[in-house]
Amino acid sequence: PPNFYTNIRTSSLFGLDVANLVMHPDSSQILYATLGSANFTSPGVVKTTDAGASWFRADSGIYVDGETSVLPISIHPKKPNVVFAATGGFNGGWLYKSTNGGTSWYRCIDLSGGRGLGNNVGAIAIDPESTQYMYASAYSLGDFLKSTDSGETWNISIYNLAYGTDIVFGESRSTLYMTGVSSSTKAMLKSTDGGATWANIANGIPGNYGDFFAMVVRRSISSNDLFVSGKTGTQFGSDSGKVWGVFETQNGGGDWTYLGLDSIAIGTLAFSPDERYLFAGAASARGIKPMGIYRRDIITEVSTEIEQVPTSFHLFQNYPNPFNPSTTISYILKERGAVRLTMYSLFGQRITTLIDEKQVGGYHSVVWNGADEKGNPVSTGVYLLRMLFQPQGLLDIPEFETKKIMLLR
């Protein structure tokens, strides 16, 4: 499995301690990476606008008063130019906010609350629907924090829960997943009541203990399809001493599959908007293991799953959804055939046809910019995307699939 990954490290990023990695919700070309304390240059935030070919610093205004690391970073799901990041250091950490895509930053609030929590804030999450709700894990003491006013004020929801490293949402606001670090248990947690109570879901991962550092959800498949990175006491394969790895569960933590990268200390994971590529950022592990950013094309794995479905194609949910101004629509064909992708209103009125041609089997995608067939922007609302696929054989019956798409102006 490690051979499926491509190292996309560049001269401007190679050798740095990548603490966190996030993808712009509307563009697979734009990523942010935060830099930890084990760097030869000052830690902070770097950004790429060309899918990792080149990187530049995007952290003006960050690190004063002894802050030595920028760990979590989170992009506002409805206002992508709004970005939050948290720092740690000898004199405490702060929550920072940028309203211009990382060009400049200002302090929002000291997350320590008088208890030193800001020394290491391990995770930040923003509710994708009700964005005034935010969550944070105070890594230093293991407390779980919640904000109901877009991060301006915070309350400790649970004391000493876990040394959280990442927080993601499941199928609804009330379902949360959190990875964490622990010396005595596997800190892979799930909440179904908005963070009020938590259950450990890491029992299916091999080993006597586990530290987990990042998690992403492949929503085009299911909100229960999770990818996580961490380390375990079990040695994988025949190569001894390899204790790191990437894992996947397709049922919300009931069962786990090992996916490789066992020789890389992966500290962060991110998907491209169409969820074709899984990006993995390697932490330094104090120089013991390779560093950089790795990318894996997971369409091979998706195709294996689709083989179990009795159709000749699979239409993924568009991403992002809701969207503004554009969204990516992806699908997989098992064989060559005629494809028609048409957008309709809820009343059955045809808005535009995105694809109407013969295509070869494999992975395909198209972008809809929210306009009708004359190029006029359509209004806010729910639209129906209908895919028709006619296999190459003349006697084959056409197949259909429909997805709901929401446009927010």
Side-chain angles (χ1 to χ4, degrees):
N3 294 330
F4 284 95
Y5 294 88
T6 301
N7 190 338
I8 63 168
R9 56 194 179 189
T10 67
S11 58
S12 60
L13 196 61
F14 175 66
L16 298 182
D17 179 4
V18 179
N20 206 285
L21 182 69
V22 292
M23 177 80 67
H24 192 285
D26 298 330
S27 174
S28 59
Q29 301 293 307
I30 302 175
L31 296 90
Y32 295 85
T34 61
L35 306 180
S37 59
N39 290 298
F40 295 107
T41 59
S42 299
V45 180
V46 292
K47 181 179 180 180
T48 177
T49 57
D50 53 16
S54 61
W55 296 81
F56 55 90
R57 298 198 75 94
D59 51 18
S60 177
I62 293 182
Y63 35 78
V64 293
D65 296 337
E67 293 156 287
T68 60
S69 302
V70 183
L71 297 173
I73 186 169
S74 186
I75 301 177
H76 195 292
K78 296 182 180 179
K79 301 176 182 178
N81 279 333
V82 176
V83 189
F84 293 87
T87 62
F90 297 109
N91 297 325
W94 289 77
L95 178 67
Y96 284 85
K97 183 177 181 179
S98 173
T99 59
N100 51 19
T103 300
S104 61
W105 297 78
Y106 64 91
R107 282 179 169 179
C108 290
I109 191 171
D110 182 355
L111 292 181
S112 67
R115 300 181 68 241
L117 300 181
N119 284 334
N120 280 295
V121 177
I124 302 171
I126 305 172
D127 189 311
E129 299 298 330
S130 301
T131 54
Q132 72 272 23
Y133 291 97
M134 295 181 61
Y135 302 90
S137 174
Y139 184 78
S140 296
L141 296 179
D143 295 341
F144 184 71
L145 300 94
K146 182 177 181 179
S147 172
T148 59
D149 55 7
S150 300
E152 295 301 318
T153 61
W154 293 83
N155 294 308
I156 298 177
S157 178
I158 302 178
Y159 287 89
N160 303 319
L161 174 63
Y163 306 126
T165 56
D166 207 355
I167 303 170
V168 300
F169 289 88
E171 62 272 14
S172 66
R173 184 203 309 168
S174 60
T175 302
L176 298 171
Y177 296 93
M178 183 165 65
T179 56
V181 175
S182 174
S183 60
S184 60
T185 186
K186 299 174 181 177
M188 174 70 62
L189 306 176
K190 180 179 181 179
S191 173
T192 58
D193 53 13
T197 60
W198 296 81
N200 199 307
I201 59 170
N203 292 332
I205 294 181
N208 297 324
Y209 69 93
D211 293 340
F212 302 97
F213 302 96
M215 175 165 44
V216 289
V217 181
R218 184 162 51 159
R219 300 187 187 280
S220 62
I221 301 297
S222 167
S223 295
N224 292 319
D225 191 5
L226 310 175
F227 290 75
V228 303
S229 67
K231 66 177 181 179
T232 173
T234 296
Q235 297 177 355
F236 297 105
S238 58
D239 193 2
S240 63
K242 308 301 185 183
V243 296
W244 297 81
V246 176
F247 306 87
E248 179 190 11
T249 177
Q250 297 182 6
N251 53 15
D255 301 287
W256 294 89
T257 301
Y258 169 62
L259 296 181
L261 279 185
D262 56 356
S263 61
I264 312 297
I266 297 301
T268 181
L269 298 170
F271 272 121
S272 59
D274 59 9
E275 298 192 343
R276 173 173 183 168
Y277 295 105
L278 176 67
F279 292 86
S284 69
R286 297 301 177 186
I288 297 174
K289 297 180 181 297
M291 294 180 284
I293 294 179
Y294 294 77
R295 184 180 70 188
R296 176 170 179 163
D297 188 337
I298 60 172
I299 290 303
T300 301
E301 297 159 30
V302 175
S303 299
T304 301
E305 297 166 8
I306 302 309
E307 289 295 328
Q308 303 173 5
V309 181
T311 59
S312 297
F313 73 95
H314 179 73
L315 175 64
F316 296 106
Q317 185 65 53
N318 64 302
Y319 187 91
N321 189 41
F323 76 96
N324 181 25
S326 63
T327 188
T328 299
I329 299 160
S330 305
Y331 52 95
I332 290 179
L333 308 180
K334 287 188 179 181
E335 57 185 302
R336 179 181 175 86
V339 177
R340 181 180 298 165
L341 280 173
T342 308
M343 202 71 63
Y344 294 91
S345 71
L346 290 178
F347 301 102
Q349 177 186 10
R350 185 172 65 86
I351 303 299
T352 187
T353 298
L354 301 175
I355 298 290
D356 190 5
E357 62 186 24
K358 291 183 179 180
Q359 295 183 333
V360 298
Y363 175 88
H364 302 268
S365 66
V366 63
V367 175
W368 184 42
N369 62 1
D372 61 19
E373 59 186 355
K374 296 181 179 180
N376 300 316
V378 298
S379 59
T380 294
V382 178
Y383 295 86
L384 299 177
L385 172 66
R386 188 186 192 194
M387 180 173 177
L388 180 149
F389 180 66
Q390 171 70 60
Q392 189 169 347
L394 296 179
L395 298 180
D396 290 333
I397 300 175
E399 300 171 356
F400 303 88
E401 191 169 346
T402 302
K403 299 288 187 183
K404 288 185 178 180
I405 293 180
M406 178 176 290
L407 171 61
L408 295 178
R409 294 292 187 185

